[in-house]
Amino acid sequence: MEPEYCIKRSLELAQRAKGHTAPNPMVGAVLVHNDRIIGEGWHHYYGADHAEVNCLKNVPDPDKHLIPESTMYVNLEPCAHYGITPPCATRLVQEKIKKVVIANKDPFEKVSGLGIQILQDAGIEVTTGICASEGEWVNRRFFTFHSLHRPYIILKWAQTTDGFIAPPDRSRLQITGPESQNLVHKWRTEEAAIMVGTTTAIYDNPRLTARHYHGRQLLRIVLDRKLHLPQTNHIFDDAAATWVINEQREILSGNIHSIQIPFDDSLLVSLMHRLRDANILSLIVEGGATLLNSFISLGLWDEARIFTGSITLKEGIPAPVITNHNIAFKTPSGEDTLQVTINKNNAYPYIEGMEL
């Protein structure tokens, strides 16, 4: 059984928990004895058993005696520290696993090679770097967070066929169809936070919740420099936790956290620092045009997901224009078209055929 096949299988397993493991990574594990898979597992949600432990638990009783003569394939280096759960590297040593094959070294400072060292010190053979690029793509949020010390940033907007995101008066306009709307709500269950600017909050009064897809709600973030947004807006309801970024005060009241940050040239960078400190691994920026262009001008983005609907406006608010990018793919979304674009400076580029 080829190592690439087993690592790709571990990646498939890992992604079953998309949206549930943060701030931990997505990890899957496969245990193989003489070209036969005797166990599989993945990390189901934050705080639960890790992939390696679940894989060992899932080995049928008649096969448990084969564990010491088996090879474990895992997409990320086994952890080496005590957190909510004990270190997986130590557990593999206790089980006397013969060999461990790993896609990626863990960038987290409390692991970062220590898991591999524990295995090797115990005489376990370790191979790394198998399907490394695929592994980095799957856990790009986790890798970005620990290498760049900020969330993985996804820009998202919908535009008309002639390149506008709103009418001239900024009135609310549904550009995309139900298939695209459902997909957006699915994405919301997979990321940690979502953000809009003041103008979007005023004119669109968005809820910024996942209502058309079952899953967890993400952190909502809105810019409100002078705290002028009406408290009746949907973003102030109890549907999800909300950060209100402003210059006036810092106060926590129920689900609403007013966060005081100067609205200067460092605003977005300062906000990314606050998100890092809160262990927020990923952020969707939904607009409007001014906020999206601010991220673009700073090069502060990793991925853009752009829907083009079938509507033509002829005039309105122009959609953002991205440069220094690579188009990952285009695909139909109902009657719309979805284009996914990757920042050329992204350290973890898209791998053809991989899931978002």
Side-chain angles (χ1 to χ4, degrees):
M1 189 171 293
E2 293 296 324
E4 290 81 4
Y5 172 85
C6 296
I7 288 294
K8 288 181 179 179
R9 176 58 180 165
S10 76
L11 289 168
E12 291 175 3
L13 294 169
Q15 292 177 92
R16 292 184 180 184
K18 187 181 295 182
H20 297 284
T21 63
N24 284 353
M26 293 180 285
V27 184
V30 177
L31 192 63
V32 176
H33 180 267
N34 288 345
D35 285 341
R36 180 169 69 91
I37 294 176
I38 62 172
E40 293 185 335
W42 66 95
H43 182 37
H44 289 231
Y45 57 88
Y46 177 71
D49 286 336
H50 288 188
E52 298 92 329
V53 174
N54 285 328
C55 179
L56 292 166
K57 285 182 176 179
N58 290 334
V59 176
D61 288 340
D63 288 336
K64 287 196 182 295
H65 71 285
L66 301 175
I67 291 175
E69 293 301 317
S70 299
T71 298
M72 178 164 285
Y73 295 85
V74 60
N75 61 290
L76 195 69
E77 174 185 2
C79 63
H81 65 294
Y82 282 88
I84 297 177
T85 60
C88 292
T90 301
R91 175 65 183 273
L92 297 184
V93 170
Q94 293 171 346
E95 297 284 349
K96 299 180 180 179
I97 293 289
K98 181 180 180 180
K99 181 178 180 180
V100 179
V101 179
I102 301 166
N104 302 118
K105 179 179 173 181
D106 193 327
F108 182 40
E109 60 184 3
K110 291 185 177 181
V111 184
S112 193
L114 294 179
I116 293 172
Q117 183 179 334
I118 289 172
L119 298 175
Q120 292 176 330
D121 287 348
I124 296 174
E125 181 183 350
V126 178
T127 299
T128 61
I130 306 299
C131 300
S133 296
E134 289 90 338
E136 288 175 343
W137 173 257
V138 167
N139 274 313
R140 61 196 184 279
R141 300 160 182 85
F142 183 75
F143 278 89
T144 296
F145 185 83
H146 288 284
S147 62
L148 299 181
H149 309 292
R150 64 159 175 80
Y152 185 87
I153 301 169
I154 301 168
L155 309 182
K156 174 262 167 186
W157 70 85
Q159 62 188 27
T160 62
T161 55
D162 49 352
F164 297 104
I165 64 171
D169 62 358
R170 300 183 184 272
S171 58
R172 186 176 179 86
L173 174 67
Q174 189 63 56
I175 294 174
T176 56
E179 293 87 356
S180 299
Q181 295 168 43
N182 290 339
L183 182 56
V184 168
H185 282 244
K186 176 178 182 292
W187 291 343
R188 289 178 180 178
T189 68
E190 297 171 350
E191 309 303 337
I194 188 169
M195 181 179 182
V196 295
T198 309
T199 302
T200 297
I202 291 173
Y203 284 90
D204 287 358
N205 191 18
R207 297 180 186 273
L208 301 183
T209 54
R211 302 180 302 284
H212 305 320
Y213 197 88
H214 178 71
R216 53 178 290 279
Q217 298 297 342
L218 69 181
L219 172 68
R220 303 180 294 192
I221 303 172
V222 61
L223 296 180
D224 186 10
R225 183 173 188 171
K226 301 298 183 182
L227 295 177
H228 287 163
L229 286 177
Q231 294 300 299
T232 54
N233 275 28
H234 295 313
I235 205 164
F236 295 112
D237 61 26
D238 291 328
T242 301
W243 282 12
V244 182
I245 311 304
N246 71 96
E247 285 189 328
Q248 307 299 307
R249 66 187 183 190
E250 178 99 18
I251 188 171
L252 176 62
S253 178
N255 269 345
I256 310 300
H257 190 178
S258 296
I259 293 181
Q260 189 174 22
I261 299 177
F263 274 56
D264 54 22
D265 292 342
S266 300
L267 169 62
L268 295 182
V269 173
S270 298
L271 175 57
M272 295 308 108
H273 290 165
R274 291 294 294 261
L275 290 171
R276 174 201 62 198
D277 293 343
N279 272 338
I280 300 298
L281 263 61
S282 60
L283 171 68
I284 302 176
V285 183
E286 285 213 353
T290 300
L291 181 61
L292 287 163
N293 283 318
S294 295
F295 276 92
I296 293 169
S297 65
L298 291 172
L300 193 60
W301 66 282
D302 300 288
E303 184 179 325
R305 301 176 183 180
I306 306 163
F307 289 101
T308 300
S310 57
I311 294 173
T312 301
L313 274 181
K314 296 184 179 179
E315 61 177 349
I317 308 300
V321 176
I322 289 181
T323 58
N324 195 40
H325 66 97
N326 291 315
I327 296 176
F329 62 85
K330 289 184 178 181
T331 187
S333 178
E335 296 184 359
D336 311 319
T337 299
L338 169 63
Q339 175 178 299
V340 176
T341 293
I342 308 298
N343 191 328
K344 281 187 177 180
N345 294 325
N346 190 337
Y348 312 108
Y350 175 71
I351 306 298
E352 185 175 357
M354 298 290 286
E355 296 179 12
L356 287 180

